[in-house]
Amino acid sequence: MEYDVQERSLDDAELAGLLEAAFAELVTRNGREGRTQVKSGARYFVVLDGEDRAVGCGAVQVFGPDTEHAGDGEVKRMYVAPPARGRGYARALLTALENAAREANHPVLRLTTSERQPEAIALYESCGFVRVDPWGKYATEPTTRCYGKPLNPTS
């Protein structure tokens, strides 16, 4: 089934509500707040249900030039509301995020998740993401799982 995925700005009420729910779930699962800063220029998306309500969100941002993965894209804030899970919304959203990263010419799309999120790990691996060495602050967080996926044939 195809779902409508739309780009939204941070001042969008539906997006804001989903981001707050995502942060709350991270606290519940990981015992700490997951509000890492999203860089300016990040592109935010929501996935809509059959009644045009936003039920999931995600963002793509670029790694800065002073980082070890300069120019790569990074998935941030990937989240689907619990009542909407298991219906393909996350897969549709992740596909849209990959497409946005390709449009921005990111050679690799990277992401992080937690070992406490097995459903996220299963989704990412089923979509072709492979486990990679942790980077930056994640290198010292033993429960974090880092993934990457080449997007362009030259990478």
Side-chain angles (χ1 to χ4, degrees):
M1 177 178 269
E2 286 193 36
Y3 293 106
D4 187 19
V5 179
Q6 299 177 351
E7 189 166 0
R8 299 273 178 97
S9 66
L10 271 175
D11 61 358
D12 179 83
E14 286 184 303
L15 174 62
L18 288 166
L19 291 172
E20 284 303 314
F23 296 137
E25 185 167 317
L26 284 174
V27 170
T28 299
R29 287 192 186 217
N30 297 313
R32 67 188 188 296
E33 192 167 354
R35 286 184 191 252
T36 57
Q37 184 177 359
V38 177
K39 298 174 181 77
S40 64
R43 295 177 64 191
Y44 287 87
F45 295 84
V46 297
V47 60
L48 304 177
D49 67 9
E51 297 176 18
D52 291 332
R53 293 178 302 213
V55 295
C57 65
V60 174
Q61 68 182 18
V62 64
F63 279 88
D66 58 339
T67 65
E68 64 185 295
H69 299 298
D72 287 352
E74 183 179 18
V75 172
K76 300 295 281 185
R77 309 298 183 254
M78 184 81 179
Y79 174 78
V80 173
R85 292 180 184 167
R87 299 181 189 167
Y89 293 116
R91 190 171 301 276
L93 185 59
L94 187 56
T95 298
L97 296 174
E98 285 184 36
N99 290 337
R102 278 190 192 88
E103 290 169 11
N105 294 315
H106 298 307
V108 176
L109 186 58
R110 298 179 181 279
L111 59 86
T112 60
T113 191
S114 166
E115 70 180 14
R116 296 180 183 112
Q117 295 175 275
E119 66 286 355
I121 290 170
L123 170 69
Y124 299 140
E125 290 178 353
S126 74
C127 288
F129 283 82
V130 295
R131 188 116 176 247
V132 297
D133 290 335
W135 59 82
K137 71 177 189 174
Y138 304 115
T140 60
E141 293 185 20
T143 62
T144 298
R145 299 293 175 258
C146 296
Y147 286 84
K149 180 178 182 178
L151 298 178
N152 299 320
T154 58
S155 58

